[in-house]
Amino acid sequence: MAYFLGLDSSTQSLSALVIDTAEGRVVVDESVNFGKDLPAYGSPQGVLPNPDPKVHHSDPLMWVEALDLLLSRVRASGFDWSKIAGISGAGQQHGSVYLKEPLRDAGRWRTGKPLVDQVRPLLSFQSSPMWMDSSTTEECREIAAAAGGRERVLGLSGSIPIERFTGPQIRKLWKTQPEVYQKTAEIHLVSSFMASLLTGGSAAIDLGDAAGMNLLELSTGRWNSSLLEATAPGLAAKLQPPVASHTRVGNVAPYFVERYGFRSGVPVFAFTGDNPSSLVGMGAVSPGTRLFSLGTSDTVFAAMDGPRTDPNGYGHVFGNPAGGFMSLICFTNGSLAREQVAKRFGLDWAQFTAAIAATPPGNNNNLLFPFFTGETTPRVAEGVELFGSESFVAWKEPAQAVRAVVETQALSMRRFSEWIGHTPKQLVLTGGAARNAGIQRIIADVFQCPVRTLRVGNASALGGALRAAQAAGAAPWKELFAAFVALDSNVHVQPDPQTKSVYEQLGRSFDEKLSVRLARSR
Ligand code: ADP
Ligand code: XUL
């Protein structure tokens, strides 16, 4: 029996995906939605409300409770957890969890008590800054100044200091709540926190996700002392050394054995970030395919030949869990923005898709800057702007607004992924919005490149299961990809060559309007 579990702790949900490597099939694909299933946390989209539009935190206990709920839900559906031979997974990147005592000293979880009640007293900070947070501009400046400039931080860590990255968030906590920082013994990413819960110990951060902290030196795979010092005093003692992604970080804790029937001694391998995990789940650990993850945020990423950084400072370099590096550009206003436009006109996704079909490519030059929340790429503050006809600008053209939000997003993805260099042969989409035929069409035309999707939708959770299988020695990558990463044969969207010039022109218009906006926000 060779069953492997992949977990994905993302912004809005926690998912579990189990693969059977002997039969080459997915046997469990289940998730808990934070908003719907855990309403007591007051986070309909997985994020706590905050009067400051730049502050985005989540309650880490929500993730803990979701784990118990998910495992019991899968067991209630008749699945036998004793079949699992290895576990790994992923978490939303950059988010951090602060603990009063290292979990390795906390002892094993007790079986009789829900996990959430056992973790609560261990938290030194009841809230987790997460990737949507953009409140640390000052800390980014300070880190750059102390570490020898933005370019030096870019060269060392693969990214300039970035507001949502963990280092600037840690610095903000140290500055604003020094007593909380002092009593914090251990800092985790969402990924290593989830792995720590499963092992009942202290799981190390993997190299893939560690690169999203502005603390890791890419060339050595170690924390960089000048970046640590520029961030907060005593930080080195609060972080374990990072580990390669295939590292066994412990065994499943007795709590899960006794409560859910896992076999004792099942290995847990380091969790990674959701984007690095999706690289594996999309079978794209070698360069060639450009990947688009259209989740709460939109990300564009690809495996890299070697580390190369974005001179404009928007792109990032993360670790590739299969070895080497990956590029990534994150657009905060992804599904978030599409949902806002749909909601404004009361449209469901079928109507949203129909609106795209009913409007022409190029949309008569209407553009919509979708910055419903502060955007990281390009770096602009919250503020939606419409350009075009009078009635469009007055929000009186629902179908045009729908096309405009998707076209503007696609143009932005094209513009800001240019630094990656190579011209992709195909684009593979994943995430909640990947199944949308209108979005597929616009991306194919804007990039003038064929668009495909995957048969298994949840690439990040699948990546976790595949990583567990590979690390446990069940099969090499090649065999795992051949068995589990199939392109959906129903989706093969060829670009329409007639739209090439339309999108070149619209791209110029986008660039002009964006440079005005960027000049204004300086
Ligand atoms: P995350 O992993 O960030 O939690 P997902 O990849 O699960 O997000 O994507 C969820 C999002 O996908 C939803 O918030 C929704 O906006 C979007 N979505 C779901 N179905 C569709 C659809 N048919 N068309 C466009 N967007 C969709
Ligand atoms: C990547 C990023 C987001 C989160 C979403 O840099 O911030 O894609 O990982 O889960």
PDB file of all heavy atoms in Angstrom, residues 14 157 302 313 354 461:
ATOM      1  N   LEU A  14      -8.114  24.980   3.968  1.00  0.00           N
ATOM      2  CA  LEU A  14      -7.099  23.939   4.203  1.00  0.00           C
ATOM      3  C   LEU A  14      -7.550  22.707   3.420  1.00  0.00           C
ATOM      4  O   LEU A  14      -8.690  22.259   3.584  1.00  0.00           O
ATOM      5  CB  LEU A  14      -7.011  23.613   5.698  1.00  0.00           C
ATOM      6  CG  LEU A  14      -6.057  22.469   6.060  1.00  0.00           C
ATOM      7  CD1 LEU A  14      -4.593  22.867   5.839  1.00  0.00           C
ATOM      8  CD2 LEU A  14      -6.243  22.031   7.525  1.00  0.00           C
ATOM      9  N   SER A 157      19.290  37.798  -1.137  1.00  0.00           N
ATOM     10  CA  SER A 157      18.098  37.001  -0.785  1.00  0.00           C
ATOM     11  C   SER A 157      17.185  36.720  -1.976  1.00  0.00           C
ATOM     12  O   SER A 157      16.229  35.955  -1.841  1.00  0.00           O
ATOM     13  CB  SER A 157      17.294  37.724   0.302  1.00  0.00           C
ATOM     14  OG  SER A 157      16.572  38.813  -0.248  1.00  0.00           O
ATOM     15  N   ALA A 302       8.021  30.023 -12.654  1.00  0.00           N
ATOM     16  CA  ALA A 302       8.653  29.012 -13.500  1.00  0.00           C
ATOM     17  C   ALA A 302       9.935  28.543 -12.836  1.00  0.00           C
ATOM     18  O   ALA A 302      10.567  29.305 -12.101  1.00  0.00           O
ATOM     19  CB  ALA A 302       8.973  29.607 -14.873  1.00  0.00           C
ATOM     20  N   GLY A 313      12.876  44.878  -9.202  1.00  0.00           N
ATOM     21  CA  GLY A 313      12.540  44.590  -7.798  1.00  0.00           C
ATOM     22  C   GLY A 313      11.151  44.016  -7.570  1.00  0.00           C
ATOM     23  O   GLY A 313      10.758  43.815  -6.425  1.00  0.00           O
ATOM     24  N   ALA A 354     -19.716  34.604 -19.555  1.00  0.00           N
ATOM     25  CA  ALA A 354     -20.551  35.044 -20.690  1.00  0.00           C
ATOM     26  C   ALA A 354     -20.246  36.497 -21.035  1.00  0.00           C
ATOM     27  O   ALA A 354     -20.250  36.890 -22.218  1.00  0.00           O
ATOM     28  CB  ALA A 354     -22.030  34.875 -20.342  1.00  0.00           C
ATOM     29  N   ALA A 461      -1.632  21.191  -3.041  1.00  0.00           N
ATOM     30  CA  ALA A 461      -1.823  19.992  -2.217  1.00  0.00           C
ATOM     31  C   ALA A 461      -1.265  18.768  -2.935  1.00  0.00           C
ATOM     32  O   ALA A 461      -0.626  17.909  -2.313  1.00  0.00           O
ATOM     33  CB  ALA A 461      -3.305  19.802  -1.903  1.00  0.00           C
TER      34      ALA A 461
END
